[in-house]
Amino acid sequence: MYAPAPQRVGTDPWVERAACRDTDPEIFFPSAGRSGDHDPEAPARQVCARCPVARDCLREALRHEESTGIWGGLNVRERRELLRVAASLGATDPELDALLADDRRRLRPQQRERPAYVWFLRHHGWGPRRIAGALGMTCHQVEQAWQLAEFASLCAHGRTPRAERPPRPRGRRARVGGADPGPAS
């Protein structure tokens, strides 16, 4: 993470428990691109993986719309995707309403739609096997989509269960650290 500015320590008590508190901030802002087999984000992700307050860190980045750095184990692209998923969770689709009315229907959502569709059906009492059949997915894909949707909901709505970890990120994480620009408005 980063060494916080003094004014943030008072407002963000979780920072005192961060695994990155005494870590060089530069590892959270790796250079763009990969060089050979080396993933420049790997050192930062390793710190975040053992951090007891990674979820708080991620929520902070989402709240302040951090546009660089690795926060809570996710880079800027992954954080944008998480926000996109969270925004899609409350939306309903006429196809989903029709599926609820006639569960013999089958849908083939695009991969980006899967978390919202699974979220919707789970909240209407459908189990993973039934969802998998209706959406043409495997039970494993349903579980992955559910975990992503649940994580996005928790982050976007501010609940922070301490025992949970984010789903395995797919992309790179961006830079965290440097001077504190203050809260984004």
Side-chain angles (χ1 to χ4, degrees):
M1 231 283 309
Y2 64 99
Q7 70 271 18
R8 290 192 77 169
V9 172
T11 58
D12 298 327
W14 60 267
V15 172
E16 289 299 316
R17 298 187 331 268
C20 62
R21 193 177 74 226
D22 298 321
T23 304
D24 179 9
E26 289 303 311
I27 72 166
F28 297 95
F29 298 93
S31 306
R34 294 178 186 224
S35 57
D37 292 334
H38 173 69
D39 178 1
E41 295 179 346
R45 290 185 192 275
Q46 289 171 352
V47 172
C48 294
R50 70 174 193 270
C51 185
V53 293
R55 178 69 58 81
D56 295 301
C57 178
L58 178 58
R59 276 193 15 240
E60 181 81 0
L62 295 173
R63 181 176 30 248
H64 294 292
E65 299 177 6
E66 292 292 342
S67 62
T68 62
I70 310 279
W71 291 75
L74 301 180
N75 66 28
V76 67
R77 191 185 67 214
E78 293 162 340
R79 293 192 304 269
R80 284 186 192 130
E81 178 65 12
L82 193 63
L83 290 172
R84 186 202 60 75
V85 169
S88 72
L89 295 180
T92 59
D93 186 315
E95 288 183 322
L96 286 171
D97 291 330
L99 182 63
L100 288 176
D102 178 10
D103 68 357
R104 291 172 291 158
R105 289 180 52 101
R106 298 293 176 256
L107 300 177
R108 297 290 183 250
Q110 295 178 0
Q111 186 157 351
R112 291 179 64 108
E113 299 171 320
R114 288 178 176 180
Y117 279 44
V118 169
W119 176 266
F120 179 87
L121 294 171
R122 287 286 298 261
H123 283 277
H124 281 84
W126 286 40
R129 198 172 240 145
R130 186 175 177 194
I131 294 171
L135 300 183
M137 298 166 61
T138 66
C139 287
H140 180 70
Q141 290 170 325
V142 169
E143 184 61 30
Q144 286 180 320
W146 173 251
Q147 287 176 359
L148 178 58
E150 185 74 7
F151 182 66
S153 174
L154 292 170
C155 288
H157 296 99
R159 294 184 295 271
T160 310
R162 298 279 180 223
E164 291 191 23
R165 286 280 184 216
R168 178 80 176 123
R170 292 184 180 189
R172 299 188 41 199
R173 189 173 164 182
R175 178 178 180 152
V176 176
D180 179 18
S185 296

